[in-house]
Amino acid sequence: MSAQRPNARAGSAQNVTYHWLKRHIAQLPRHDGTFLTESEVAAATGTSRTPVREALVRLETEGFVQIVPKKGVFVPPISDAEVRAVMQARELVEDWCIRQVTSLGHEFAAELERLVAEQESLLDDPVAFIDCDRAFHRTIVQHAGNPVLADIYESLRDRQIRMGLRAVARSENRAHTVLTEHRAIVTALRTGEAERARRAVSAHLSSTLAALNVLGLPGWSSGPSEEEHA
């Protein structure tokens, strides 16, 4: 198992194992199903099997794994249909949120700009790059002021981590494209033009879907086509 071994002193054994597993699962190819065993995870994390079992039950509840009696834990492949569904839900949430934050002005745009600069410094670390990407979008959603949508968005991003990491890791150009698209969103927010900001977000999400080699849903908002990113 390739994920870095956690430090059990950083939190409860169950929480540490839970976060280690999420990071490990995020690095698995989305088209492949993988079996894990409690003993393998316990050895990799340096914990007993009890917190491993508790963490796996938690992940099963969240839809990341399937516990198969007498066989282990199955990490299912992520289908194109699931990718499309997650990205469509993201667009619905982010479209509403970007309209709410357009009036926040230069100070908010500067906060996002700092995140883009941090993300640029992480080009050699796809996992950290995705974490920073999540922070960028989370900042927009949280500042929109709807805690219910913020919770929904977090669950969507949890499901997309494995999708996004593979897209960045597979293409060195994709990370640079993400930075360009994030800067376009920040520029639009600086101008205070809601429609321009909405178009920038939509183009970014369409580009992300294309990077995952998945055709968009019927009626998907206008943005770069898959062929433009081939």
Side-chain angles (χ1 to χ4, degrees), residues 112-215:
L112 292 177
E113 207 162 53
R114 285 193 293 271
L115 287 170
V116 174
E118 180 182 350
Q119 194 173 18
E120 186 171 23
S121 72
L122 299 170
L123 286 169
D124 293 332
D125 186 346
V127 175
F129 185 93
I130 289 295
D131 287 343
C132 196
D133 179 274
R134 182 170 182 163
F136 177 89
H137 289 272
R138 178 193 287 129
T139 299
I140 294 173
V141 173
Q142 289 181 341
H143 278 75
N146 187 318
V148 175
L149 279 183
D151 286 345
I152 292 172
Y153 185 77
E154 284 302 306
S155 69
L156 291 172
R157 286 308 301 254
D158 279 345
R159 298 180 73 84
Q160 199 201 347
I161 288 176
R162 187 173 160 201
M163 309 173 195
L165 178 61
R166 296 300 299 178
V168 171
R170 185 169 57 239
S171 170
E172 63 181 64
N173 293 328
R174 177 59 195 162
H176 290 283
T177 300
V178 168
L179 292 172
T180 298
E181 292 165 354
H182 281 184
R183 290 191 181 102
I185 294 170
V186 174
T187 299
L189 289 173
R190 283 191 180 279
T191 68
E193 299 176 47
E195 189 55 38
R196 180 179 176 183
R198 290 180 66 193
R199 288 197 302 269
V201 168
S202 179
H204 175 48
L205 296 181
S206 296
S207 171
T208 299
L209 194 69
L212 294 167
N213 295 323
V214 177
L215 294 176

